[in-house]
Amino acid sequence: MADPQTPAPSPSLAQALSVLVSPDDDFLREAQRNDELARTLTHFDALGRGIAEALNTRDVEGGGWTHTMLPAYWGNVTVRHRDGMHFVFMHHGRSRKGPAGRRLRVETGYPHGYCGWRAEPITVSMDRAPDAIAADVLRRLMPAYKDTLREALADAHRSEAHRQARIGLNGLIEQLVPGIHGVGGVRPCDAPDRKTSFWSGRDHVPEGQYALPVGGSVTLDHDASEVEITLSHVPPALALDLLGHLRRYGVVSGQRVPVGQAPRVIAGELEPRDAVEALPPADGHARRRALHRAQGRVFPSRPVTAAVEAGPTR
């Protein structure tokens, strides 16, 4: 039964409440009792509806723009395209006086998880007509938004392809490993794209439950191109059997790479004093050169001759 003390919402408020995203009962009751909140909701509903209509009239991105609101006391409306592009209009400056307190911050929306470059937000006056605000957004924000959104959508496509690859590989692993689960005991069906899975060996599962001889974990790379497997409590015989299987699978020959080389000495370079003491006593010339380097003096690699140009004498 409805609360008899809660008045029925006006048609404009009822229309605004119809576009709220997941409001709770307390917020709905407050919206019908609090006149200031009701005015905020109706204002932003009309604003979002007008901007969406202006974008559809201009046939921006082929039309298909709608608006929704979050249950916020300060005003928050999102104008969204059917393909995912959207603008968020937020009123965060209510405490400011004058025109500064009547400006909206306009941000752009990107796919979830995108961490690349984003278009810089702009501010617009909330007292302007919705058509003028839409024109301002198209002129000042849309070009940068399209440029960054293109990369964001490509990144989202790659992320989804990687996620599907993990789902496919996890499904194959689940067919081989009984009792496998995700972090915290999560069931495989609840996290099909998980990166890490665990299972317990036969000594750590209830009697009658199927299990592998040893426990372990498997961690997938983000694109499922590589897998890291860790086994625990492996008996020596089984370990040798597993290693033998890997050897039968194929031995890869390595490439010879030089490990150590003689140090390269540059004329005039400083050397530690230890290098001087390591020289044989008979090599006096080399010892003098090394000593000069250790003292910070430049000892040329070969004699230097200076040509003196003869000038007139008096």
Side-chain angles (χ1 to χ4, degrees), residues 241-286:
D241 190 19
L242 292 174
L243 294 176
H245 175 74
L246 292 177
R247 182 175 179 84
R248 291 190 298 271
Y249 190 83
V251 178
V252 181
S253 61
Q255 182 179 2
R256 180 177 299 176
V257 177
V259 177
Q261 295 181 351
R264 177 170 174 262
V265 180
I266 303 175
E269 184 181 23
L270 297 181
E271 289 184 355
R273 195 170 186 85
D274 295 342
V276 181
E277 303 298 335
L279 294 174
D283 194 352
H285 180 69

Side-chain angles (χ1 to χ4, degrees), residues 53-191:
E53 291 177 356
L55 296 177
N56 288 327
T57 301
R58 287 177 167 84
D59 198 30
V60 177
E61 298 298 317
W65 294 87
T66 57
H67 79 291
T68 56
M69 290 195 303
L70 291 179
Y73 287 84
W74 59 85
N76 187 311
V77 62
T78 300
V79 178
R80 186 182 304 273
H81 188 258
R82 59 171 176 258
D83 292 337
M85 178 184 291
H86 58 279
F87 301 97
V88 183
F89 299 80
M90 296 172 289
H91 185 208
H92 290 327
R94 293 188 303 166
S95 60
R96 298 178 180 178
K97 296 181 179 180
R102 303 287 296 174
R103 297 196 67 81
L104 300 176
R105 178 182 174 91
V106 187
E107 296 183 354
T108 50
Y110 294 85
H112 177 71
Y114 175 65
C115 300
W117 290 102
R118 296 170 179 251
E120 289 293 332
I122 64 173
T123 62
V124 296
S125 173
M126 62 186 297
D127 296 323
R128 299 178 65 191
D131 186 75
I133 294 178
D136 210 15
V137 169
L138 292 177
R139 179 178 60 85
R140 298 170 53 196
L141 192 56
M142 181 64 88
Y145 185 29
K146 282 187 175 181
D147 291 341
T148 53
L149 184 62
R150 188 179 300 109
E151 174 59 28
L153 293 176
D155 181 77
H157 179 74
R158 289 190 297 268
S159 298
E160 179 60 21
H162 295 165
R163 193 180 77 89
Q164 293 298 330
R166 294 197 304 272
I167 291 176
L169 185 54
N170 279 329
L172 297 176
I173 295 174
E174 292 166 14
Q175 298 177 17
L176 300 174
V177 183
I180 197 169
H181 57 82
V183 177
V186 175
R187 296 182 301 174
C189 59
D190 294 333

